[in-house]
Amino acid sequence: MTTFQPSTYSHRQALMSMPRTAQLNPATLRKGAEGMAVAELQDALLAAGDEFGSYKIEKKGPRTEYTLQWKPGVFDEYTHDAVMMFQGAKGLTVDGIVGKNTWKALGVTSD
């Protein structure tokens, strides 16, 4: 497997621009959810490993570019697919729903 360091600048920039209105506790998230908790989920998936990001891979001459496909803060189909890949890799129930076991595997716990 080739390792690469994808550029997450636009993802992190979008995270920083989202309003933080409350201390986050891990919530149950599923496809269609939006907001800061989803952005935190996406960030945790990226921190768990490059293979859990959803990338568009393009060859541009001699170089290859990796662009995140998911929209920060939106639990879209790309985020859903990344969650299912993560759940399968960690031996969790593969349902695409982020509950307490998935949050725990991501290293996120409630206060």
Side-chain angles (χ1 to χ4, degrees):
M1 179 173 157
T2 304
T3 339
F4 61 91
Q5 192 63 26
S7 169
T8 57
Y9 175 76
S10 61
H11 178 72
R12 293 194 187 284
Q13 185 179 30
L15 279 176
M16 297 308 292
S17 68
M18 296 181 96
R20 291 183 181 261
T21 56
Q23 177 85 18
L24 288 177
N25 287 316
T28 299
L29 298 174
R30 42 181 55 85
K31 197 171 176 183
E34 294 185 19
M36 195 64 206
V38 177
E40 293 287 341
L41 164 65
Q42 292 167 329
D43 207 37
L45 285 166
L46 289 176
D50 293 337
E51 65 272 24
F52 302 119
S54 179
Y55 300 99
K56 178 179 175 185
I57 303 169
E58 292 182 276
K59 284 293 228 180
K60 299 229 175 164
R63 64 175 211 246
T64 303
E65 289 187 4
Y66 301 87
T67 308
L68 281 168
Q69 288 186 295
W70 61 42
K71 183 177 177 188
V74 178
F75 200 134
D76 55 16
E77 67 271 10
Y78 301 113
T79 303
H80 184 258
D81 291 347
V83 166
M84 291 199 317
M85 283 178 51
F86 178 81
Q87 289 171 328
K90 298 299 179 182
L92 302 170
T93 300
V94 180
D95 58 8
I97 298 170
V98 181
K100 66 178 183 173
N101 292 332
T102 302
W103 281 119
K104 184 176 178 183
L106 285 165
V108 178
T109 57
S110 59
D111 296 335

